[in-house]
Amino acid sequence: MLKHRGFPGRLPSTDHQFVIRRGNAKGATPLVARERYRDRSPSDRRADVGFLAALIEHFGDEPFERGNLDAGRLSWLLGREVVAVGKLDPRSYEQLLRVDLARARASFPEIFAGHDAPDFGWEQADDEQDDDFGDDSGEERR
């Protein structure tokens, strides 16, 4: 499973995770396109915005491997702002995905608002993540 180094581990000051630490021995949690209803909590909506903003900042519109990105968080965007490259294998850590920037801009215009765009404090969150994000061998990165 590819680990996306430098990708935010979670939305700062919340429990909304963006990445997983290690692959599931029973196989990857399947990706399932989830319906976003209007009555979702504000923190869930902010997590969607933050995760999509991180995807755009990290990958742009280039294809990327699912790797250690959280299946639940991806599922809220799957089939709309995040699309499969080729046929979707929902249980594969190697599945290629890409951000559909046109759909992202239509659904989340605040990400593209320039100086009015939300500040998620990624720099601060990246520093915290690097301190405790070990590799598969159980050793801490230095």
Side-chain angles (χ1 to χ4, degrees):
M1 173 184 72
L2 174 67
K3 292 190 176 188
H4 296 291
R5 301 288 182 195
F7 196 87
R10 63 182 172 81
L11 185 64
S13 303
T14 72
D15 290 332
H16 294 289
Q17 73 178 32
F18 291 171
V19 296
I20 58 175
R21 290 181 176 272
R22 63 190 64 82
N24 186 345
K26 298 176 186 173
T29 301
L31 297 175
V32 180
R34 295 181 175 173
E35 188 66 35
R36 291 192 306 254
Y37 295 102
R38 291 184 182 268
D39 64 348
R40 290 183 67 217
S41 74
S43 68
D44 283 334
R45 285 181 279 165
R46 183 163 166 81
D48 291 344
V49 172
F51 185 65
L52 183 57
L55 287 173
I56 292 168
E57 183 177 314
H58 206 75
F59 304 112
D61 63 351
E62 295 297 316
F64 59 92
E65 195 171 307
R66 171 187 174 180
N68 70 329
L69 298 175
D70 183 68
R73 195 56 43 211
L74 275 169
S75 291
W76 288 112
L77 304 173
L78 187 67
R80 292 176 295 268
E81 297 82 17
V82 174
V83 294
V85 174
K87 187 176 185 311
L88 177 65
D89 179 359
R91 292 190 171 269
S92 173
Y93 287 120
E94 289 80 31
Q95 173 66 52
L96 289 179
L97 304 166
R98 73 172 177 77
V99 175
D100 182 337
L101 289 179
R103 297 280 308 263
R105 191 178 313 278
S107 298
F108 299 97
E110 62 271 28
I111 295 173
F112 303 92
H115 67 280
D116 293 334
D119 177 17
F120 294 103
W122 297 139
E123 294 79 25
Q124 184 179 33
D126 287 345
D127 293 341
E128 293 169 8
Q129 177 184 349
D130 288 342
D131 291 341
D132 66 352
F133 196 73
D135 62 15
D136 286 358
S137 67
E139 297 178 16
E140 294 293 319
R141 283 191 344 188
R142 297 187 201 277

